[in-house]
Amino acid sequence: MKKNKISIYIHIPFCESRCHYCDFCSSLLNRENVEKYFSYLEKEIKLNENFLREKIIDTVFIGGGTPSSVDGKFIARILKILSAFEFSKDPEITIESNPNSLSMEKAESYFSSGINRISIGAQSFNDEILKRIGRIHKSEDIFRAVENARGAGFTNINLDLMLALPSQKFSDIEKSLVEIKNLDLPHISYYSLILEEGTRLYENHIKSPLDFPDESLDRKMYHHVVNGLEKIGLHQYEISNFSKKEYKCRHNMTYWKLRNYISFGLSASSNIKSLRYRNFSDFKNYYEALDKNEKPIEFSENLSKNDRMNEFIMMGLRLNSGIDLGEFNKRFDEDFVSLYEREIENNIKLGLIEVKGNKIKLTEKGRDLSNQVELDFFR
């Protein structure tokens, strides 16, 4: 029987402190709970043993939270369990880290455990901005973290950075581009701040909206980032992601291409064909389910054909390569051009999309209005 490829996400919900923009499922570091959590994480993986034995693991992404906040031995334990299953010939195995907690010892531990890609949450090179958004590292820690990653053997290194942060000026973006060029990294993710209700930055924005760049400045910063990164060989392949040749994040491409992935840990979401499900987001229910040898699933749904077409379009539009019409037609047994004739015509007239060969992609103007385009195609 031919085995299909699968991607795996592992959620580590611990952080040393809570960033002011974060609404992810995370918990302040409790060292007693870390040991317990990882033992239950192992139980969950073993409950899915039969499923994993029928697959080839192509990518693994260890995210959070802050995976680098916990002792490297816990990460090594999880990878040792996964090593019992079949991997592709060149798997991509990524771990997220914070600059202040990526010591040389941890970086070496990760590399020796089989991790070959590391993503560092830099967010900004401006110390004052870092303080305002609740980060506990400083800009100097970013350079040290990159040095430690390289010293441990990593060549596939990503930096996460953010736009539209409080007090951020155009000069901050220019400085960041200089630092990125000097670091000579193969991958950069540059996200615009999303103000999530219930976070401290959301409350700050309500009180003092003028402290934040307006939409016009945010777009100006974004276009400067796109053009600046292109000049130093980091090519945009997704709205917020840029890489040198052969360094696209394969795990994230799994999401954007609507391929199958299974996730383990608190609040982790999985998508297998048309089945989507999510784990419990609180420790109590997560542990109780596993104590009963039950998968800790809080919610599941079977996506309709319409749901999957909507998602395929939304994700495809995020990619610079665009929506592959042949892939859409084959996957859904539909003719995209006939099905969306009106939407295609309207968005071409508005200058938001273009048709190139067998692809439909956003124009530069369309990337600024991507949500509008996506909604227009939704059924």
Side-chain angles (χ1 to χ4, degrees), residues 253-270:
M253 289 297 291
T254 294
Y255 301 144
W256 297 324
K257 288 284 191 179
L258 233 61
R259 296 172 184 147
N260 294 333
Y261 60 91
I262 187 169
S263 302
F264 302 114
L266 212 64
S267 78
S269 295
S270 303

Side-chain angles (χ1 to χ4, degrees), residues 20-68:
H20 297 169
Y21 52 81
C22 180
D23 74 333
F24 292 163
C25 178
S26 62
S27 170
L28 293 183
L29 197 61
N30 178 328
R31 298 191 186 280
E32 291 178 9
N33 201 15
V34 170
E35 180 81 50
K36 182 177 181 180
Y37 178 76
F38 274 87
S39 68
Y40 277 83
L41 192 57
E42 291 172 25
K43 284 185 183 181
E44 186 188 0
I45 294 170
K46 287 173 182 175
L47 278 179
N48 289 272
E49 185 175 14
N50 290 339
F51 174 84
L52 292 175
R53 291 211 180 280
E54 296 172 353
K55 307 294 179 186
I56 296 173
I57 301 171
D58 190 49
T59 71
V60 177
F61 196 103
I62 304 166
T66 310
S68 60

Side-chain angles (χ1 to χ4, degrees), residues 60-119:
V60 177
F61 196 103
I62 304 166
T66 310
S68 60
S69 67
V70 304
D71 194 303
K73 69 181 181 183
F74 294 109
I75 305 298
R77 260 168 53 180
I78 294 300
L79 289 170
K80 186 174 181 180
I81 289 169
L82 290 179
S83 69
F85 306 106
E86 186 177 355
F87 278 75
S88 59
K89 289 181 180 177
D90 60 338
E92 176 194 87
I93 305 175
T94 303
I95 190 165
E96 288 183 329
S97 64
N98 271 358
N100 59 293
S101 54
L102 185 62
S103 64
M104 176 62 83
E105 181 184 6
K106 277 185 183 168
E108 288 175 341
S109 169
Y110 297 155
F111 195 74
S112 64
S113 299
I115 296 172
N116 54 24
R117 184 176 185 272
I118 196 157
S119 181

Side-chain angles (χ1 to χ4, degrees), residues 212-256:
F212 293 74
D214 61 21
E215 189 175 346
S216 173
L217 181 54
D218 172 51
R219 291 298 83 196
K220 184 182 177 185
M221 288 175 171
Y222 174 75
H223 290 298
H224 189 66
V225 163
V226 173
N227 294 330
L229 293 177
E230 181 71 31
K231 287 176 183 174
I232 59 174
L234 289 159
H235 309 296
Q236 185 182 37
Y237 68 98
E238 191 268 347
I239 283 178
S240 301
N241 286 273
F242 309 81
S243 75
K244 292 182 180 179
K245 191 177 180 182
E246 306 300 328
Y247 282 95
K248 293 177 184 176
C249 179
R250 283 164 46 194
H251 185 85
N252 284 342
M253 289 297 291
T254 294
Y255 301 144
W256 297 324

Side-chain angles (χ1 to χ4, degrees), residues 12 29 45 68 99 112 145 154 163 177 187 196 217 249 307 326 373 375:
I12 312 301
L29 197 61
I45 294 170
S68 60
S112 64
F154 286 96
L163 294 167
L177 288 171
H187 195 285
E196 301 287 358
L217 181 54
C249 179
D307 292 333
V373 180
L375 287 172

